[in-house]
Amino acid sequence: MLNNDEKKIIAAIPEGADHPRSMKDVALLVNLDTRTVRAIVHDLNVKGYPIGASRHQPAGYFWATSDDELELALRPLTSQTREIQRRLAGLRRAKAISKDEVLAEPTADDEKAKEA
């Protein structure tokens, strides 16, 4: 069951990826701050509602009305997930080291200067 804010946000998001509405505009329409709108849209996605977000112009939220639009909504999330996985892998390889030790190491520029 949806709450009132969720229903207001769904009503403010246009159908179709051709005319997305910016988060700022959605927030203004529903009288909420952008952080709250982002959190509610996230929760609606988790609940299975087909709200996509285009990060390219025209950028904004849209209600996916087809499988193609759902795929369009998944693309940026898939890319973001890959980047998060790369960051996780790097942190898993990390070792405890002091900043002083890191700053004392030669830089890539130092190595290039030696080669020249």
Side-chain angles (χ1 to χ4, degrees):
M1 181 180 298
L2 297 172
N3 65 39
N4 288 334
D5 286 341
E6 290 170 331
K7 282 191 171 191
K8 288 191 302 187
I9 287 173
I10 289 172
I13 294 174
E15 290 186 7
D18 291 339
H19 299 94
R21 180 165 286 145
S22 74
M23 181 180 5
K24 182 179 175 183
D25 287 346
V26 171
L28 288 171
L29 284 169
V30 299
N31 199 30
L32 295 170
D33 61 80
T34 56
R35 179 178 286 179
T36 301
V37 169
R38 184 182 300 117
I40 291 172
V41 168
H42 174 273
D43 292 344
L44 289 168
N45 282 154
V46 170
K47 291 177 182 179
Y49 292 95
I51 298 171
S54 173
R55 295 180 182 174
H56 302 288
Q57 294 301 323
Y61 290 125
F62 62 91
W63 187 270
T65 58
S66 68
D67 289 341
D68 286 343
E69 287 183 350
L70 281 171
E71 184 60 36
L72 187 65
L74 289 171
R75 270 187 225 146
L77 295 173
T78 302
S79 176
Q80 184 177 356
T81 299
R82 274 194 300 271
E83 288 304 310
I84 290 171
Q85 289 296 333
R86 288 180 61 216
R87 188 172 178 186
L88 284 169
L91 284 171
R92 286 186 180 116
R93 289 190 312 269
K95 60 183 189 246
I97 186 171
S98 75
K99 284 190 346 182
D100 289 337
E101 288 176 276
V102 170
L103 295 174
E105 293 176 355
T107 67
D109 294 332
D110 293 338
E111 296 299 317
K112 287 179 187 175
K114 284 182 188 177
E115 293 171 6

